[in-house]
Amino acid sequence: MKTVLIAMHLVACEPDLLICQDVSMDAKRWQDMGTCQNDRDHEMQKAQEELPEWAVVMSRCRYLVGRDRRTAPMF
């Protein structure tokens, strides 16, 4: 079985927004879109603290289909 979770996609960009790089948020998942959106500011602030001052950090919550932990893996 599959379950739908929410993941946050974070990117760090140069000031001109032409070059961006993903910032990993693989470990965290949310059960609903509202909770993810409430955490966006906090997660963006944490990422900004680790990056150079000039970096522009942007984020988006998105749906993610993942394996339900109650179901045994097939592979």
Side-chain angles (χ1 to χ4, degrees):
M1 296 225 37
K2 298 276 185 182
T3 184
V4 177
L5 298 172
I6 309 298
M8 187 180 302
H9 186 209
L10 278 169
V11 294
C13 302
E14 290 187 2
D16 57 10
L17 304 179
L18 293 177
I19 299 175
C20 297
Q21 185 173 6
D22 288 336
V23 177
S24 178
M25 283 295 302
D26 292 337
K28 234 174 162 182
R29 300 287 184 258
W30 291 265
Q31 294 295 324
D32 59 64
M33 191 63 75
T35 305
C36 179
Q37 290 174 342
N38 287 338
D39 286 348
R40 281 176 64 193
D41 289 336
H42 175 69
E43 296 297 333
M44 288 175 57
Q45 182 65 33
K46 282 185 2 185
Q48 188 70 48
E49 290 170 0
E50 297 174 9
L51 295 167
E53 188 175 307
W54 50 261
V56 177
V57 178
M58 298 180 285
S59 69
R60 180 177 184 190
C61 294
R62 60 183 175 83
Y63 291 102
L64 174 75
V65 177
R67 178 163 291 287
D68 187 341
R69 293 173 196 228
R70 297 171 295 182
T71 306
M74 296 178 67
F75 302 102

